Amino acid sequence: MFDMLRGIISKVSADYVDIRYEKVWETKIVMNKREIYQLGENSGDGYVVRVLKDGGFSSIAFTKLEDAEKALKIALENAILISKNSKKKVKLAEVEVVKDIFIPPLDEDPRKISIDEKLELLKHYNEIPLKFDNITTNLHYWEVIREKYFVSSEGTEIREDLITCEIRGSLISFEGSLVQNVRVGIGGSTGFHKLRNREDVFEKKTKIVLDLLKAEPVKAGVYNVILNPDMAGVFTHEAFGHFSEADLIEDNPSMREKMKIGAKLGNEILTIIDDPTMPGQLGFYKYDDEGVRARRTYLLKDGILSGRLHSRRTSAEFGEPVTGHCVAEDYRYAPIVRMGNIFIEPKDMTFEELLEKLGDGLYILDAKGGQTSGENFTFGAQYGFEVKNGKIGKMIRDINISGNLYQTLKDIVGVGNDFELGEVGGCGKGQLNIRSCHGGPHILVNNVVIGGV
């Protein structure tokens, strides 16, 4: 395969050329209550070529090998056209030349498990909440295999596989006109075994969605709150993480000024990291889709902005180190800057100490959608609890939290010593990245605006 890919790009006279070839297999089973809504397997393969010529950078995707010569010709012509019509000349940061084959270790390869067995496991977990008459479900099994080959004109040659499988969806409870729902998800990047013997997850979520029918709506106001790892992770990813992706701020002068390296943005107890190199985690990979080795990157250290996520192009544009965070959805796309595993670094406070420091406030758990608008954010939560005198009290529901990124970073006044990253993830920035992962410890945040009744 490497010989063939080298042969394809060797015919192009340019400053830099790379090609990525992928084979992708996908299995999906969707159940609405007890009905099988979708069951199928599909596969595809294709190529993405990128050409740099005289400061013009162009990419093209194609699926047939016989179209390679035509595709390369178009990519080169487009790069030349861009160069002639753009004042901004693209440069690529220098990186090491790598030759490697990396096949991640798996605890049960999902490709060796029959679709019948996958369906039976999904049905088994689906039956746990459906034992109750006032619950309905929407659950799916999803498996994506990416077998990737990357070759560059600089000499890099990489083969890496990404294997992802999950069971996730929603549990919905109802009583009269009242409807409540929670999300459930298990899986990851380490193999099918991660999905076995997980009944406790579905039992816990079933109890929560039933308890929500008896919970009281939260009263709107401004509260000091503890966010659990999932809520803390969603804040880190959505409100902060995207501003750490260099391509999103490079043409925004005001954001580049606010997100200047060395700026004090948060409380000194706060450190935020993105690390795709963590084995066993959903966002793990060894090389990004530019052939760059993934690196642990400190984005915020002791409240000071210390780094950001880069492609080779943005690294050269900003004059900052490459990080290995340029990722594509699959063979249909050129890569863009993406998060891997993003999280707040744990500190030394136990959960009980966080509760004691909180005193009176709210304990808010598990994200349920949300949006950002510039530096402002609004997120939903699946459920929460009142906290009085450091003790967890009654359950609350219908929770939305909102705030300003920069103020919230300063208002994080406690960071737990626990740590948990999500088993299922995803990010829809331009392309879908099902392995974008977030989490962290519990955190204590002051002055959070809570929407409710």
Side-chain angles (χ1 to χ4, degrees), residues 93-300:
E94 292 187 7
V95 295
E96 63 176 329
V97 173
V98 175
K99 294 189 177 183
D100 194 11
I101 295 175
F102 179 67
I103 311 299
L106 296 175
D107 193 347
E108 278 196 285
D109 189 332
R111 290 168 288 193
K112 297 179 180 178
I113 308 297
S114 71
I115 196 168
D116 289 351
E117 186 172 353
K118 293 166 185 174
L119 173 59
E120 287 305 311
L121 186 61
L122 179 62
K123 288 167 64 177
H124 171 64
Y125 291 141
N126 193 44
E127 282 301 317
I128 293 173
L130 290 179
K131 293 174 184 175
F132 298 87
D133 294 335
N134 60 338
I135 293 183
T136 188
T137 60
N138 185 297
L139 295 178
H140 72 243
Y141 172 88
W142 194 16
E143 169 192 315
V144 179
I145 314 293
R146 293 176 64 194
E147 183 181 304
K148 305 188 301 174
Y149 299 82
F150 177 89
V151 171
S152 80
S153 57
E154 296 170 333
T156 288
E157 298 177 1
I158 295 170
R159 154 82 190 279
E160 181 170 3
D161 288 358
L162 298 177
I163 295 97
T164 315
C165 56
E166 65 178 32
I167 292 176
R168 71 192 298 181
S170 299
L171 312 183
I172 304 101
S173 62
F174 51 90
E175 190 173 274
S177 61
L178 178 61
V179 178
Q180 293 292 304
N181 66 84
V182 297
R183 297 177 179 179
V184 61
I186 56 174
S189 62
T190 57
F192 192 82
H193 187 75
K194 189 78 171 178
L195 302 179
R196 296 193 187 277
N197 305 311
R198 304 299 301 277
E199 289 84 0
D200 60 319
V201 175
F202 292 86
E203 290 166 356
K204 178 182 177 182
K205 288 291 188 175
T206 298
K207 182 178 186 308
I208 290 168
V209 80
L210 289 172
D211 288 345
L212 279 168
L213 295 173
K214 305 180 186 72
E216 295 182 7
V218 66
K219 293 181 180 179
V222 177
Y223 295 84
N224 297 339
V225 304
I226 292 175
L227 303 181
N228 82 329
D230 185 69
M231 283 298 301
V234 166
F235 164 77
T236 307
H237 173 108
E238 296 288 356
F240 176 82
H242 282 302
F243 287 146
S244 293
E245 294 170 329
D247 57 344
L248 282 188
I249 69 167
E250 65 175 315
D251 295 321
N252 187 329
S254 65
M255 284 307 305
R256 285 189 69 158
E257 182 62 29
K258 288 181 178 179
M259 298 293 287
K260 184 181 292 186
I261 300 299
K264 181 169 176 53
L265 299 183
N267 193 310
E268 62 184 15
I269 64 170
L270 188 61
T271 294
I272 298 177
I273 299 167
D274 192 291
D275 188 0
T277 71
M278 302 168 72
Q281 298 299 337
L282 176 67
F284 169 78
Y285 57 86
K286 190 172 182 181
Y287 302 98
D288 74 2
D289 290 327
E290 292 191 302
V292 178
R293 191 184 302 272
R295 300 177 189 183
R296 179 181 177 95
T297 303
Y298 280 82
L299 304 174
L300 195 74

Side-chain angles (χ1 to χ4, degrees), residues 35 63 86 98 122-123 151 158 172 192-193 229 262 285-286 293 305 310-311 320-321 332 363 376 396 409 411 444:
E35 294 296 320
T63 57
S86 177
V98 175
L122 179 62
K123 288 167 64 177
V151 171
I158 295 170
I172 304 101
F192 192 82
H193 187 75
Y285 57 86
K286 190 172 182 181
R293 191 184 302 272
L305 194 70
H310 281 296
S311 65
E320 295 169 2
R332 297 170 297 170
Y363 176 33
N376 298 312
I396 50 176
L409 291 173
D411 284 336
L444 173 57

Side-chain angles (χ1 to χ4, degrees), residues 20 327-330 333-336 338 427-433:
R20 191 178 82 250
V327 174
E329 180 175 339
D330 55 35
Y333 301 94
I336 58 176
R338 307 302 295 261
C427 177
K429 172 196 168 186
Q431 312 163 22
L432 182 63
N433 180 10

Side-chain angles (χ1 to χ4, degrees), residues 244-404:
S244 293
E245 294 170 329
D247 57 344
L248 282 188
I249 69 167
E250 65 175 315
D251 295 321
N252 187 329
S254 65
M255 284 307 305
R256 285 189 69 158
E257 182 62 29
K258 288 181 178 179
M259 298 293 287
K260 184 181 292 186
I261 300 299
K264 181 169 176 53
L265 299 183
N267 193 310
E268 62 184 15
I269 64 170
L270 188 61
T271 294
I272 298 177
I273 299 167
D274 192 291
D275 188 0
T277 71
M278 302 168 72
Q281 298 299 337
L282 176 67
F284 169 78
Y285 57 86
K286 190 172 182 181
Y287 302 98
D288 74 2
D289 290 327
E290 292 191 302
V292 178
R293 191 184 302 272
R295 300 177 189 183
R296 179 181 177 95
T297 303
Y298 280 82
L299 304 174
L300 195 74
K301 190 169 181 61
D302 303 328
I304 306 296
L305 194 70
S306 55
R308 73 182 96 245
L309 308 180
H310 281 296
S311 65
R312 292 183 65 182
R313 182 188 64 79
T314 62
S315 174
E317 162 69 17
F318 281 74
E320 295 169 2
V322 292
T323 64
H325 282 83
C326 199
V327 174
E329 180 175 339
D330 55 35
Y331 61 84
R332 297 170 297 170
Y333 301 94
I336 58 176
V337 182
R338 307 302 295 261
M339 287 170 262
N341 297 304
I342 191 167
F343 54 89
I344 293 171
E345 184 179 53
K347 295 298 183 181
D348 56 0
M349 295 187 72
T350 66
F351 181 62
E352 290 72 23
E353 288 170 337
L354 289 172
L355 284 172
E356 183 180 356
K357 185 169 183 176
L358 172 63
D360 294 344
L362 303 178
Y363 176 33
I364 299 175
L365 298 93
D366 295 352
K368 186 169 68 173
Q371 61 184 14
T372 58
S373 177
E375 60 193 58
N376 298 312
F377 63 86
T378 300
F379 305 133
Q382 294 180 36
Y383 64 107
F385 298 92
E386 290 185 350
V387 178
K388 293 186 176 180
N389 297 318
K391 304 295 183 183
I392 295 176
K394 63 184 179 182
M395 178 181 273
I396 50 176
R397 58 176 170 83
D398 305 337
I399 307 164
N400 282 291
I401 72 172
S402 60
N404 174 274

